[in-house]
């Protein structure tokens, strides 16, 4: 079996045109008749994309229309994990190969479509149609000396003034990446919250809380330096009347697996999930203040026509009062 493979390889190398290089790769190109995808060198040899991003792009380009290309769908068929696939998709989106657009269906429902372009540079710089391509200038024929013919030379008219032609307005790019590239500067992180005053009681309570955290969540085992650095953040939570069990649930629930840097995760959650300060006495007094009451005029029944009308006291409706007033005026 090995001899047949070596013989086939030797025969294929013998058919490679030209002399074989002494180093580097040797291409044995066999024509594809089915199940193949055309990939441009701008993608296969992209200087800024990672090999994972190039492989994911080739994978997406080989799939049929309507195929699922989300992170979980790709991770189900690839050996790379979800984090590497998500990073590769962000690279492709940053360089214009992948784009997510929101579209409204006739029913009113809004969906997100994933669009993959195999040549994003062609969308940014579209080719001019053939009708707009200027025709080549005709080649003038060789000049021949004409026969002497009497010609009446008219008076030359003044040349028409040249009308300045405004340059074409730059067209907006058709494919703008919405995700910043990985090399873009990141926003500075928010500092760890600090209490208004780190009293000895708060310091002891926060230190005991962090030192005891590994008993409830073994993956959150902290060093002494981590405990001292995180004490102000926990003290800020305790100062805002947060209970220790509530702080523990907020900091340790649903951690990533595997958890490599527990101190960094605690720093992020202490900063981003900080509860609001408790309301003051004046704010609570505002809540307890009685609301203004509105007086509603009750309904009454007219003594003459039994019609319902609003009035603070019983009596007659407006129409009956006007009728009685008219009768009294006529009798007078």
């Amino acid at each position: 079996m090995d001899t047949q493979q070596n013989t086939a390889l030797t025969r294929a190398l013998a058919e490679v045109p030209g002399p074989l290089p002494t180093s580097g790769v040797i291409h044995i190109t066999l024509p594809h008749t089915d199940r193949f995808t055309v990939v441009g060198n701008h993608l296969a040899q992209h200087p800024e994309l990672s090999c994972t991003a190039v492989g994911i792009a080739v994978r997406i380009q080989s799939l049929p229309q309507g195929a699922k290309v989300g992170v979980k769908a790709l991770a189900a068929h690839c050996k790379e994990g979800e984090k590497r696939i998500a990073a590769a998709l962000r690279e492709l989106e940053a360089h214009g190969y992948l784009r997510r657009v929101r579209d409204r269906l006739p029913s009113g429902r809004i969906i997100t479509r994933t669009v993959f372009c195999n040549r994003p540079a062609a969308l940014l710089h579209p080719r001019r149609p053939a009708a707009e391509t200027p025709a080549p200038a005709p080649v003038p024929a060789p000049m021949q000396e004409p026969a002497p013919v009497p010609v009446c030379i008219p008076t030359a008219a003044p040349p028409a003034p040249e009308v300045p032609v405004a340059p074409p307005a730059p067209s907006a790019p058709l494919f703008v990446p919405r995700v910043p590239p990985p090399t873009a500067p990141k926003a500075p992180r928010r500092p760890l919250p600090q209490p208004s005053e780190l009293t000895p009681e708060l310091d002891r309570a926060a230190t005991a809380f962090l030192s005891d955290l590994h008993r409830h969540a073994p993956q959150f085992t902290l060093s002494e330096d981590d405990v001292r650095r995180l004490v102000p953040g926990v003290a800020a939570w305790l100062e805002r009347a947060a209970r220790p069990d509530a702080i523990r649930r907020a900091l340790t629930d649903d951690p990533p697996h595997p958890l490599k840097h527990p101190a960094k995760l605690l720093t992020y959650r202490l900063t981003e999930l900080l509860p609001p300060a408790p309301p003051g006495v004046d704010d609570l007094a505002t809540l307890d203040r009685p609301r203004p009451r509105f007086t509603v005029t009750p309904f009454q029944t007219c003594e003459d026509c039994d019609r319902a009308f609003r009035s603070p006291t019983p009596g007659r409706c407006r129409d009956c009062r006007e009728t009685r007033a008219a009768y009294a005026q006529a009798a007078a």
Side-chain angles (χ1 to χ4, degrees), residues 1 6 17-18 32 36 44 56 62 110 125 151 156 173 221 227 301 310 331:
M1 195 67 180
N6 294 338
H32 291 281
F36 64 92
I56 293 297
S62 65
I110 298 178
H125 306 287
V151 179
T221 302
V227 170
T301 303
R310 290 188 181 273

Side-chain angles (χ1 to χ4, degrees), residues 10 37 40 43 52 61 75 85 89 92 95 137 140 167 193 264-265 267 277 281:
T10 303
T37 302
L43 173 61
T52 303
Q61 192 171 343
I85 293 178
L89 293 178
L92 296 175
H95 289 85
K264 291 184 178 180
L265 179 61
T267 302
V281 178

Side-chain angles (χ1 to χ4, degrees), residues 26-321:
I26 300 175
H27 291 282
I28 298 179
T29 306
L30 304 177
H32 291 281
T33 57
D34 59 350
R35 294 182 58 79
F36 64 92
T37 302
V38 179
V39 179
N41 285 341
H42 58 84
L43 173 61
Q45 302 177 6
H46 201 288
E48 299 180 6
L49 287 178
S50 62
C51 293
T52 303
V54 173
I56 293 297
V58 174
R59 178 89 182 192
I60 295 176
Q61 192 171 343
S62 65
L63 296 176
Q65 295 274 25
K68 301 294 184 181
V69 291
V71 176
K72 294 187 179 297
L74 292 173
H77 300 282
C78 302
K79 294 183 178 181
E80 288 78 7
E82 294 185 3
K83 291 186 178 180
R84 294 189 62 185
I85 293 178
L89 293 178
R90 288 194 295 268
E91 290 185 51
L92 296 175
E93 192 170 359
H95 289 85
Y97 288 93
L98 189 70
R99 186 179 182 186
R100 297 178 177 91
V101 295
R102 303 184 68 182
D103 194 6
R104 183 183 296 273
L105 298 179
S107 61
R109 179 188 173 192
I110 298 178
I111 61 174
T112 301
R113 300 185 186 273
T114 303
V115 182
F116 185 86
C117 180
N118 63 338
R119 291 178 59 197
L123 290 180
L124 293 175
H125 306 287
R127 184 178 299 176
R128 289 171 31 173
E132 299 181 3
T133 304
V139 180
M143 299 293 293
Q144 296 181 0
E145 185 177 355
V149 178
V151 179
C152 180
I153 303 177
T155 304
E162 295 184 359
V163 179
V165 180
S171 58
L174 301 179
F175 204 86
V176 180
R178 299 173 59 186
V179 177
T183 57
K186 297 182 179 180
R189 294 183 177 180
R190 297 170 55 187
L192 190 71
Q194 302 288 328
S196 58
E197 181 183 359
L198 186 58
T199 61
E201 293 79 7
L202 283 177
D203 185 85
R204 286 195 299 268
T207 303
F209 174 86
L210 292 171
S211 303
D212 186 65
L213 195 61
H214 69 279
R215 287 201 311 110
H216 304 274
Q219 61 269 41
F220 286 90
T221 302
L222 304 175
S223 64
E224 184 176 359
D225 293 339
D226 293 336
V227 170
R228 298 309 308 168
R229 185 169 53 86
L230 297 175
V231 158
V234 178
W237 283 58
L238 294 174
E239 188 183 44
R240 300 194 175 199
R243 297 178 60 85
D245 54 347
I247 302 176
R248 189 179 301 111
R249 285 195 301 270
L251 298 182
T252 61
D253 278 359
D254 194 19
H257 297 283
L259 181 58
K260 298 181 179 179
H261 305 285
K264 291 184 178 180
L265 179 61
L266 293 178
T267 302
Y268 174 80
R269 292 187 174 182
L270 285 172
T271 305
E272 299 297 332
L273 304 180
L274 180 67
V281 178
D282 297 337
D283 299 332
L284 295 178
T286 304
L287 295 177
D288 296 337
R289 186 179 304 166
R291 298 181 180 179
R293 302 183 63 179
F294 297 93
T295 304
V296 179
T297 305
F299 279 102
Q300 306 291 345
T301 303
C302 180
E303 297 177 355
D304 291 345
C305 64
D306 291 338
R307 179 187 298 175
F309 67 100
R310 290 188 181 273
S311 175
T313 58
R316 297 177 179 87
C317 64
R318 182 179 56 183
D319 294 343
C320 293
R321 291 196 303 268

